[in-house]
Amino acid sequence: MTPITTTADLETFCAKILGQPFVAVDTEFMRETTYWPKLCLIQAATPDDEAVIDPLAPGLDLEPFLQILRDESIVKVFHAARQDVEIFHNLKAMPKPLFDTQVAAMAAGYGEQIAYDALVRNMLKIELDKSSRFTDWARRPLTENQLTYALADVTHLAALYPRLRSRLEDEGRVAWVADDMKSLSDPALYDVSPENAWRRLKPRKQSPRYLSVYRAVAEWREKTAQLRDQPRGRILKDDAIDELASQAPTDAAQMERLRSVPKGFAGSRFGPELLETIREALRDPEATAPVIEKTRSPHNPAAGSVVELLKVLLKARAEDGGVASKLIATVSDLEMIAQDDNADTPALTGWRLEAFGADALRLKRGELALVLDGSRVRVVEVRRAPRPVPQE
């Protein structure tokens, strides 16, 4: 097998994709020691053709394939798409429309986050060779076995897509996954702007002083990681951001006493920059602290117990419908429903309301009960005894 290494050959292959209903896509990349993922291979397959593209080939221009990804007349099929889509988003080629077979499998009864090889085994009855799984994809030349392994990720994907799509259509479940597919193409999902770095973390306190430093340190780490092309954790761990925000050190001696900050960090090239960042955040915390909406506390002491009951109901309804429970509702959704019958959550709208949400509200009202029938939980109607007629 010979990978595509010239722009002319790539243009020829991409011309064959035009007019096809879909193209299955996968990538091989490296990012263990970098901030930005290093794209090493692109695999693509249509119902009629397939190829491995080598982005590391000298002089190869990926633009013909990027144009395919932007072409909204062709469905782009991935499995567990998020990391692949992030790479193409960085290349200014957001794949639209998109179909993720892992998400679709959740609605088709194959459990939560099923692996590609397991889905191929279940649907196509094919056992994949995983011997090249830990290949260093940046090394050249790649062996025939490595290229064959990489291509298998899209040849079978191209066979899975029509079957999964047909199954969802037959069961009326295409709409169940439409929003999830669309959200994977939302640029906001891949936002790495330093000023928003704090939003991807979990601040533990609410005071302006803490939040101002937290935001500033998170932004500094993101900028530094991007400029040096190193993983965030190589610059500073998440727990160090929390401790720096809590203690707000303003000199090297104070920073050196922090447990989560690496020894010698204050005296490194990073130390003075970070200390100045903290001092700047402390000059006017009220003005620079981000606003975080406070989570409402439960309306009643029994809310925690209600959540546990809703978890059991969710599992039962997911099993009844042959769909992954994660696709219907999250724990956060359940907590919101436990507190408020009119909670603003997807679990109380659309198909999710029919599959679970309406029953969740009925369970809260005491109209449904959960009954253990052997090893299975059944949901049953609660029959209320009629009220006695008053005697005259």
Side-chain angles (χ1 to χ4, degrees), residues 9 57 63 72 86 97 132 143 180 187 211 239 269 307-308 317 321 327 333 365 369 377 379 381 384 389:
D9 286 345
E63 187 57 27
E72 297 194 18
E86 178 188 357
S132 298
T143 68
D180 296 74
L211 289 174
D239 58 351
R269 59 178 299 181
V307 171
E308 295 306 313
R317 283 299 182 234
L327 192 64
D333 294 329
R365 293 194 297 264
V377 173
V379 183
E381 298 274 351
R384 298 185 181 277
V389 179

Side-chain angles (χ1 to χ4, degrees), residues 13 17 20 41 46 58 69 104 110 119 122 141 147 154 179 187-188 214 219-220 225 233 264 280 289 302 327 341:
F13 174 66
I17 300 177
Q20 293 285 353
L41 278 185
T46 69
L69 296 179
Y110 289 100
L119 189 59
N122 274 275
L147 292 170
V154 289
D179 288 345
Y214 194 97
E219 181 175 347
W220 173 86
E280 180 64 29
L327 192 64
D341 287 2

Side-chain angles (χ1 to χ4, degrees), residues 257-268:
R257 288 196 289 269
L258 303 185
R259 296 181 61 184
S260 58
V261 176
K263 294 299 180 186
F265 189 90
S268 71

Side-chain angles (χ1 to χ4, degrees), residues 309-324:
L309 287 174
L310 292 176
K311 287 179 181 178
V312 178
L313 174 65
L314 175 60
K315 187 174 187 298
R317 283 299 182 234
E319 290 177 351
D320 291 342
V323 59

Side-chain angles (χ1 to χ4, degrees), residues 4 8 17 25 33 56 59 66 78 81 93 96 100 109 127 141 151 156 201 212 275 277 304 321 328 342 372 390:
I4 291 175
I17 300 177
V25 183
T33 61
L56 301 183
L66 300 182
F78 295 84
K96 292 181 180 181
D100 188 326
E127 196 70 40
L151 191 59
H156 301 309
L201 304 171
S212 180
L275 285 168
T277 296
I328 301 175
N342 299 306
L372 186 61

